[in-house]
Amino acid sequence: MRTPHQESVLSRAARILEAFSQEEPALTVSEIARRTGLHVATASRLVGELVAHGFLGRDDDRRVRIGVRLWELAVRASPALSLRDTAMPFMEGVHDVVGHHVQLGVLDGDEVLFLERLSAPNSVINYTRIAGRLPLYASSSGLVLLAHGSADLKQRVLTGSFTACTPATPATPARLRVTLAEVRQQGYAYCPGYVHEEALGVAAAVRGANGRVVAALSVIVPNDPGAQAVVPVVRTAARGVSRALGAPTGKETAEV
Amino acid sequence: MRTPHQESVLSRAARILEAFSQEEPALTVSEIARRTGLHVATASRLVGELVAHGFLGRDDDRRVRIGVRLWELAVRASPALSLRDTAMPFMEGVHDVVGHHVQLGVLDGDEVLFLERLSAPNSVINYTRIAGRLPLYASSSGLVLLAHGSADLKQRVLTGSFTACTPATPATPARLRVTLAEVRQQGYAYCPGYVHEEALGVAAAVRGANGRVVAALSVIVPNDPGAQAVVPVVRTAARGVSRALGAPTGKETAEV
């Protein structure tokens, strides 16, 4: 990693944007400097420029937040938006019937990134949030994306490090291989207690116009045997989104 | 305005991000150079850096798109997200009953910026889209935000330029003053044919914990007298979101 002095302006700006999180959406300039390792004067100057472009906004109390303009630029022309827009009516249908959490995740790097989540009040516990991430091996969405991912991706994950969220998490290469084979064979992931003991995830693949898997549609429900009933609901919805995206017809589990 | 040579790196990067739109989500480097007025070499270098940070992504055909990482950074810690998350169940309820379009808009600059839109197939025509903008004086959401906006904002809009979308648009200072007084007195905006002759918008104010108006919740339905029936639905939903945000109780139209 380059030191701050050799770093480009864009790289430093990126580190400033990365300093914000859902837990800490508002920071002072000195907090930003501390978190990014930038000098206060440098942080202050860059924050000023980012504010001028609307990428950051300043509160009345001078704390700084992510700006609505950044959101607008990111969303306006984002490929994620059209996928999410296409999926929404299907997800709403599932949410009306199943309740709890319905979510849409995509592969980004070696993780699943959630583009959308619909939740009902008093739903079962769920660690997903919009723009949140989970490891591929732990979550039902991640397992679907990994099962249909490239050989390189599988290799990286299988030889990487694992953190078991619960005893049920397939957090060893051997268990993960078996789980991925099941997902590919069944056409969906069924994950009782993999992320949290009280929750169960069911995910199915969404395919784009070229037939490749572009997302996973999933529900999170209480971890009890009644959850089997949601499997056809999730598979049907994922298939519906795929059709709406122009995916070729044919076997759901067929590889491209 | 500074010439490209005097411009900061961040400013040039912002111009590159602004070159993308929903209509043209993928651009080549030479298209980006043309659109931004940057030299191809400069554009190429900056695009490379933006790609390295995930702010842009490259397609298989070397065209460039907005990157999913930019979306993630923008959404993860965005104040817009918590507002939108709070509003979603209320909006879904309205959408289940009314159909057509249900949307959530916030004031940004002198325009309304739409954070969310739920639409049904075969809905009435609607120019709104997520991360899209409309003038404050033309749209029901914009009129609500303007009616509760600062004196400075009203002054700027009333002395600015107007473009009538239809003959019904309140696109003169005199008509706009009357319309804003009605919105404040009624507690909602009722806009038959203001943006498009076949559509009618109804919007009500959403207030935050400090009692200030933070958003407008609106529906777009066909422009016929039956639309009056949606007024209490929209007002109730907007009030519900306000309550969920911790807004003080009291008269809906009360000013803070």
Side-chain angles (χ1 to χ4, degrees), chain B:
Chain B
M1 197 178 150
R2 295 193 286 180
T3 68
H5 292 92
Q6 299 169 301
E7 238 186 339
S8 74
V9 171
L10 276 183
S11 174
R12 284 184 264 186
R15 282 206 283 150
I16 290 176
L17 296 177
E18 284 160 3
F20 297 86
S21 66
Q22 194 173 42
E23 292 73 32
E24 295 183 292
L27 299 170
T28 64
V29 168
S30 45
E31 283 166 341
I32 292 170
R34 201 157 48 239
R35 240 154 261 221
T36 55
L38 297 171
H39 289 293
V40 174
T42 309
S44 178
R45 186 173 43 76
L46 280 171
V47 164
E49 247 205 283
L50 289 165
V51 169
H53 287 289
F55 291 176
L56 295 176
R58 254 191 251 270
D59 280 358
D60 295 344
D61 62 359
R62 307 285 298 163
R63 288 200 303 169
V64 177
R65 291 176 182 273
I66 293 291
V68 74
R69 177 75 179 143
L70 186 68
W71 177 86
E72 182 186 10
L73 288 176
V75 168
R76 197 173 59 171
S78 169
L81 181 64
S82 59
L83 171 62
R84 179 262 181 209
D85 269 5
T86 306
M88 267 300 265
F90 297 94
M91 295 176 65
E92 289 177 277
V94 173
H95 194 233
D96 287 346
V97 174
V98 176
H100 296 284
H101 310 280
V102 181
Q103 46 202 33
L104 184 72
V106 296
L107 184 68
D108 190 58
D110 293 356
E111 293 172 306
V112 50
L113 173 68
F114 290 96
L115 297 183
E116 184 55 83
R117 186 184 76 158
L118 303 175
S119 295
N122 310 316
S123 298
V124 69
I125 191 163
N126 182 9
Y127 291 129
T128 308
R129 56 176 197 244
I130 295 170
R133 292 170 176 266
L134 281 177
L136 292 175
Y137 57 85
S139 58
S140 59
S141 306
L143 287 167
V144 162
L145 295 168
L146 184 56
H148 298 96
S150 68
D152 278 1
L153 175 68
K154 283 185 192 122
Q155 181 63 16
R156 277 203 307 278
V157 174
L158 283 162
T159 57
S161 67
F162 293 89
T163 310
C165 307
T166 74
T169 316
T172 67
R175 285 176 64 186
L176 182 53
R177 273 181 216 280
V178 172
T179 306
L180 292 176
E182 279 171 9
V183 170
R184 289 173 66 93
Q185 188 260 317
Q186 293 171 338
Y188 62 90
Y190 187 84
C191 307
Y194 285 19
V195 175
H196 187 282
E197 285 176 6
E198 289 172 24
L200 182 152
V202 179
V206 171
R207 290 172 188 277
N210 60 8
R212 290 205 199 121
V213 172
V214 294
L217 193 154
S218 60
V219 300
I220 309 298
V221 292
N223 186 4
D224 69 54
Q228 277 290 352
V230 308
V231 170
V233 176
V234 174
R235 294 179 74 187
T236 306
R239 193 72 181 239
V241 179
S242 302
R243 290 291 190 103
L245 291 171
T249 58
K251 261 190 89 241
E252 191 179 283
T253 53
E255 279 316 292
V256 181

